[in-house]
Amino acid sequence: MSHPTPAGATPPRPVRGEPPAVREPAHVPVAHVVRGGVIEGVHHGSVVVLAADGSVEFRAGDIEAAFYPRSALKPVQAVGLLRAGLLPLDSESLALTAASHSGEERHLATARRILDAAGLTEDDLRNVPDLPYGPAVRDEWIRAGRGPSRLAQNCSGKHAAMLMTAQARGWSLENYLHPGHPLQREIASAVEELTGQAIARVTVDGCGAPLFAVSLHGLTRAAARIATAAPGTDEGRIAHAMREHPEMVSGSGRDVARLMRAVPGLLAKDGFEGVQIAALPDGRAVGVKIADGADRARMPVTAAALARCGIDPEILAGFDRAPVIGGGQEVGNLRAAGALVPFFAPSAGSVPPVPSAPPASSVA
């Protein structure tokens, strides 16, 4: 991605690699939906596990094809905001800049606090109005007769921080979401440096912000770089804020917040369309992309990848499966499949893999 540097913007840091190829990803089966001992559904996807030295310890599917990380890119974007001149924020507010929040009152209050500090209001936001993301919060919101709002939309923390940064740098506010805006050029530069590759394509995310195509490998590498960063660095500040306030990054009861609480030092972020990253302070990291975008498969596959990464499966109990219900009872589950299976003990209702060819005695 090569652009002339706009007036007032910091020159971009050098790109460390070529952009990933834009192609149909060669995903593989990564999760089975098992009902009553029969595989009812199969989720395809790709998984990468990085060792502490950054080398690829495990891969499944296509980890090098270009894809859109969606909200899993937010920690990287947050680093870009700090590099671009985001004014000092308290730890909760900084965590919200990397959040896909549930729309709880504390999330809205923190987003307002960022806007207030910049002398701005909700009317200055350009993200798409929406209802709160958290189901319970959304239901309560609707019962109160409230409609979609920019502040309630799950990306409002990121957008408030974008506005604060643009204001601090003297850049225009009206078009802060344009890919050619100096702010977005700065963020793109951070994406390229931390992923170690040039951006393959640029599009628009659901909230209206620019979205950059990288590879799953590159995204996971960026997560590891943030998770291992020294305290006080831009990356280290984001990692500390997210670890200290996982419920600000997601919401009360959300699986990502619970996972970060369960695994000491873990940095984790989810994204729409079945994307998940998780990284440890020593550099071990995992990246998951579910091909059909199914959120239900995201966490069981992530848990299996973390077990492959060396996390005790006992710690991951409860994250490694999702129940399949029949008649109000659990009659099966959704669990990781393929090469990830050996890292958890088989569960009740699991089925053996299909043989490559039927035994000779069974052929009529």
Side-chain angles (χ1 to χ4, degrees), residues 27 30 42-46 67-68 70 133 270-276 288-299 334:
H27 294 303
V30 294
V42 179
H43 290 287
H44 290 67
S46 295
F67 87 123
Y68 290 118
R70 303 301 299 272
Y133 180 68
D270 56 336
F272 280 160
E273 296 300 318
V275 183
Q276 180 73 54
V288 170
K289 164 62 182 174
I290 305 302
D292 62 1
D295 189 66
R296 66 178 184 173
R298 171 182 52 82
M299 189 53 70
L334 186 158

Side-chain angles (χ1 to χ4, degrees), residues 352-359 362:
V354 177
S356 56
S362 68

Side-chain angles (χ1 to χ4, degrees), residues 1 5-13 76-77 79-85 165 169 171 178-193 199 212:
M1 183 178 184
T5 302
T10 301
R13 295 169 175 84
V76 184
Q77 292 172 306
V79 172
L81 286 171
L82 286 175
R83 291 181 177 181
T165 306
R169 291 294 296 271
W171 295 330
H178 191 281
H181 192 283
L183 175 70
Q184 301 303 336
R185 296 284 183 89
E186 294 270 5
I187 292 172
S189 176
V191 170
E192 291 187 324
E193 182 185 349
I199 292 166
F212 309 111

